[in-house]
Amino acid sequence: YEAFRQPGTGNVFIESNAGSGWSTAVQVPGATTPDAPAIALDGSGIPYVAWTDGATGDVEVSHWFIFWSTPLVLGQGSARSDTAPVIGWANNTLYAAWKGQTTDKVWYSQGTGLTWSAQTLVPNALTPDTPAIGSYVASGAPLIVAWTTSTHTLQYTDLTLGGWTPVATIPGGSNAGPSLGFDASNPTTYLAWKGTKSNEIYYSSTTGSGWTNEVTVPRSATLTSPAIAF
């Protein structure tokens, strides 16, 4: 699946590809945004699309099951942002995260279908961009949240049974939001980002015991945040 914003209108569309080409684009009812929408599948393969409403700053989500659900404001109606949100499946749970409106604090909410938890702060996470969310290990996977600081440092923290771990640094730097992807076959977690002084894409990986040095993705370039998924 992919989700995208239509230039001019800001309407959000979704397409799918089962291996024989991309489907006709279908509009997500009620979804308009000035930013990139986010998309993820839950454990049953149901697609969820999240976006920030340009008029209100509401962070909203809709999912497809026979038909599109009515857009719901995350955080039990309290989620606001001035950048794009992120949504993903981690630790057998659907999570969404976003930068707060007029603040660099990072918030998150979890849920399924039409029920989402109240918004909760990610401790000591500050970013001017869209954060990233992902997992660490194949079973009992903790939630990991990563972000780019205002000084272009890459940082992260984990949500474990004991609570959030201290903020730590990932090798490399970026002036746009990073992206997290989890390969359950290894298992390995990957972080991808745009370089600070170049448009090249870099990545680092971890199996849960430290991150590798940054690696360049050959023949890659972007002006904004890259995306990664498994």
Side-chain angles (χ1 to χ4, degrees), residues 71-129:
L72 177 73
V73 180
L74 289 169
Q76 296 182 358
S78 58
R80 306 286 185 276
S81 182
D82 46 28
T83 62
V86 64
I87 190 168
W89 181 254
N91 196 18
N92 297 317
T93 305
L94 199 65
Y95 289 91
W98 58 92
K99 168 196 171 297
Q101 191 176 40
T102 69
T103 176
D104 285 351
K105 293 181 179 180
V106 177
W107 304 81
Y108 78 98
S109 180
Q110 67 186 69
T112 56
L114 300 176
T115 303
W116 287 80
S117 66
Q119 65 174 6
T120 306
L121 273 176
V122 178
N124 303 311
L126 296 171
T127 182
D129 304 300

Side-chain angles (χ1 to χ4, degrees), residues 42-61:
D42 69 8
S44 300
I46 295 174
Y48 286 72
V49 178
W51 65 92
T52 297
D53 187 296
T56 63
D58 291 344
V59 182
E60 301 178 329
V61 65

Side-chain angles (χ1 to χ4, degrees), residues 190-214:
Y190 292 84
L191 186 80
W193 64 88
K194 170 193 174 296
T196 302
K197 298 181 179 179
S198 74
N199 293 331
E200 288 185 302
I201 297 174
Y202 299 86
Y203 75 92
S204 178
S205 63
T206 181
T207 56
S209 57
W211 292 82
T212 63
N213 290 328
E214 62 180 3

